[in-house]
């Protein structure tokens, strides 16, 4: 009797996600419906799968499929708009965020959900010169043991501060000194999202630690990194200049390292189990699709997590050198 052949892992679907930072340096998370086929009942960053209207993503097997590109950015702003009502696009000439009346935004969301119009066409009608406006953060590829896999480009986006400083950070904040009206995030009526809310990254992490919400490892790790910069003490009554400085420190971090976070691709692998039964996820592997290409993940940190009934609980961030003493990666 011949041995049973191991089935090939599923091809990762291209998707985008946005870490959206509010004028108060809070982060937007969406509470997914419990019937969702991915991350059910979890709190996630806005985002979702690419569609043909976003542009033609390279086919499976093409390494460019796993690189930041216009189609990923188009999907990021489309999904953020559909899920929260916030439009992350700017006018190509002025550099200002597009301002769209609330009635028109809600009408557009309904039409896009009902496939009466594509997001790209709706955006052109608002402003023919509109362009997506995001900063790349990192990429995640779902491990091979998961039936539904994704290659997800993560982005970082800063909404304008209450009072704009003279200079913007890498052009992701409008530089003309005017304050744009930022819409309050709303759910999509329960189609995919039950709640959309801005809170400090540290508060989201606290809620996860207390078991009040579900965070999966990608969201947990990235919120932990963001919190180190945006949630420094003091947190109350800080000036716009201080908020801007913290944003700049975060952006400098994103572009730092070898490789920088903007080029890292992470496909978590279980390295060992802790004494209390949690999995220790190593983050240094880029996934089988990028094996041998020179792409790297995160070599210094690990995430500890308890997986149960399709959920993730009891997450902690640790240093790989402490969990795996033989590791020689630099702190």
């Amino acid at each position: 009797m011949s041995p049973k052949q191991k089935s090939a892992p599923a091809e990762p679907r291209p998707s985008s996600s946005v870490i959206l930072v509010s004028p108060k340096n809070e982060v937007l998370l969406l509470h997914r419906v419990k019937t969702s086929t991915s991350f059910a009942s979890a709190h996630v960053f806005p985002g979702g799968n690419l569609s043909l209207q976003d542009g033609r993503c390279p086919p499976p097997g093409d390494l460019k499929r796993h690189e930041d590109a216009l189609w990923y950015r188009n999907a990021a702003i489309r999904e953020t708009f559909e899920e929260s009502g916030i439009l992350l696009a700017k006018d190509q000439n002025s550099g200002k965020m597009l301002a769209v009346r609330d009635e028109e935004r809600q009408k557009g969301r309904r039409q896009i959900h009902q496939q009466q119009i594509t997001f790209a066409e709706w955006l052109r009608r608002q402003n023919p010169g509109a362009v997506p406006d995001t900063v790349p953060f990192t990429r995640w590829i779902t491990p091979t043991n998961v039936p539904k896999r994704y290659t997800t480009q993560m982005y970082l986006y800063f909404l304008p501060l209450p009072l704009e400083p003279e200079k913007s950070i890498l052009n992701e904040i409008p530089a003309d000194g005017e304050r744009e009206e930022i819409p309050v995030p709303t759910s999509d009526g329960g189609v995919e999202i039950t709640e959309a809310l801005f809170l400090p990254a540290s508060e989201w992490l606290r809620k996860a630690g207390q078991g009040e919400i579900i965070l999966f490892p990608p969201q947990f790790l990235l919120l932990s990194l963001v919190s180190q910069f945006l949630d420094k003490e003091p947190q109350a009554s800080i000036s716009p200049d201080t908020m801007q400085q913290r944003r700049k420190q975060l952006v400098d971090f994103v572009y730092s390292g070898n490789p920088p976070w903007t080029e890292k691709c992470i496909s978590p692998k279980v390295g060992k189990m802790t004494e209390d039964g949690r999995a220790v996820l190593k983050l240094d592997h880029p996934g089988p699709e990028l094996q041998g290409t020179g792409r790297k993940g995160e070599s210094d940190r690990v995430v500890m997590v308890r997986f149960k009934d399709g959920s993730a609980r009891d997450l902690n961030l640790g240093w790989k050198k402490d969990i795996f003493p033989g590791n020689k990666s630099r702190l």
Side-chain angles (χ1 to χ4, degrees):
M1 183 175 178
S2 60
K4 185 178 180 180
Q5 290 187 341
K6 189 176 180 180
S7 59
E11 180 65 36
R13 308 175 187 181
S15 67
S16 295
S17 193
V18 181
I19 302 168
L20 180 57
V21 179
S22 79
K24 296 181 180 180
N25 276 0
E26 298 175 336
V27 178
L28 178 66
L29 287 188
L30 311 178
H31 188 189
R32 294 190 66 85
V33 297
K34 62 182 179 181
T35 56
S36 176
T37 57
S38 298
F39 301 111
S41 299
H43 278 71
V44 299
F45 303 123
N49 294 339
L50 272 64
S51 73
L52 289 177
Q53 62 180 296
D54 300 318
R56 291 199 172 275
C57 185
D62 191 327
L63 295 180
K64 290 187 178 298
R65 185 180 179 87
H66 308 287
E67 295 179 3
D68 174 38
L70 181 60
W71 34 87
Y72 281 107
R73 298 184 180 217
N74 287 339
I77 63 168
R78 174 182 56 78
E79 286 285 347
T80 300
F81 179 70
E82 291 181 13
E83 293 179 333
S84 72
I86 296 179
L87 183 59
L88 304 184
K90 64 182 180 181
D91 179 81
Q92 194 169 24
N93 296 319
S94 69
K96 287 184 57 177
M97 285 185 67
L98 297 188
V100 180
R101 291 183 299 108
D102 183 68
E103 180 182 349
E104 181 62 29
R105 284 190 297 109
Q106 298 307 326
K107 178 182 177 181
R109 291 174 75 185
R110 289 193 300 271
Q111 291 177 328
I112 294 167
H113 272 306
Q114 296 168 7
Q115 298 184 345
Q116 296 174 2
I117 189 173
T118 65
F119 174 76
E121 177 57 30
W122 180 87
L123 188 59
R124 280 193 294 270
R125 292 183 182 182
Q126 308 309 311
N127 186 312
V131 292
D133 186 22
T134 51
V135 174
F137 195 156
T138 188
R139 177 174 290 271
W140 288 68
I141 295 182
T142 310
T144 56
N145 63 321
V146 179
K148 280 192 174 182
R149 301 181 64 223
Y150 301 92
T151 173
T152 303
Q153 179 64 50
M154 299 281 192
Y155 293 100
L156 185 63
Y157 188 96
F158 298 100
L159 293 172
L161 291 167
L163 295 174
E164 290 293 335
E166 293 181 358
K167 295 182 180 180
S168 64
I169 303 176
L170 301 178
N171 297 321
E172 72 271 15
I173 300 175
D176 59 6
E178 296 185 13
R179 179 181 177 180
E180 290 85 358
E181 180 181 355
I182 306 302
V184 176
T186 59
S187 76
D188 60 3
V191 178
E192 297 179 17
I193 305 301
T194 62
E195 183 184 48
L197 186 65
F198 279 112
L199 285 176
S202 58
E203 178 62 11
W204 287 124
L205 294 170
R206 185 199 68 77
K207 284 178 172 289
Q210 294 296 318
E212 298 174 19
I213 66 171
I214 298 171
L215 291 178
F216 278 83
Q219 291 78 17
F220 177 80
L221 173 62
L222 296 179
L223 281 171
S224 298
L225 298 178
V226 168
S227 180
Q228 292 175 16
F229 298 94
L230 299 188
D231 296 332
K232 292 180 180 179
E233 296 293 340
Q235 294 189 31
S237 302
I238 61 174
S239 68
D241 285 342
T242 300
M243 295 174 70
Q244 179 82 331
Q245 182 182 21
R246 293 180 181 183
R247 290 179 171 198
K248 184 179 185 305
Q249 290 170 346
L250 174 57
V251 172
D252 289 344
F253 169 77
V254 169
Y255 282 92
S256 71
N258 184 24
W261 279 88
T262 54
E263 296 179 14
K264 288 182 180 180
C265 184
I266 299 173
S267 185
K269 275 190 171 184
V270 176
K272 63 189 290 187
M273 301 298 291
T274 63
E275 292 182 357
D276 63 359
R278 289 183 296 168
V280 179
L281 302 183
K282 299 172 70 173
L283 310 173
D284 50 1
H285 194 268
E289 288 75 19
L290 296 174
Q291 186 82 31
T293 63
R295 293 286 296 274
K296 298 179 180 179
E298 162 56 19
S299 60
D300 292 331
R301 296 170 177 84
V302 296
V303 173
M304 289 158 279
V305 57
R306 188 186 312 280
F307 290 113
K308 184 178 180 181
D309 299 327
S311 180
R313 297 288 187 181
D314 302 331
L315 291 96
N316 284 106
L317 189 62
W319 294 105
K320 185 178 176 183
K321 68 179 183 64
D322 296 331
I323 308 299
F324 300 92
N327 173 54
K328 297 181 180 180
S329 63
R330 183 171 55 85
L331 180 65

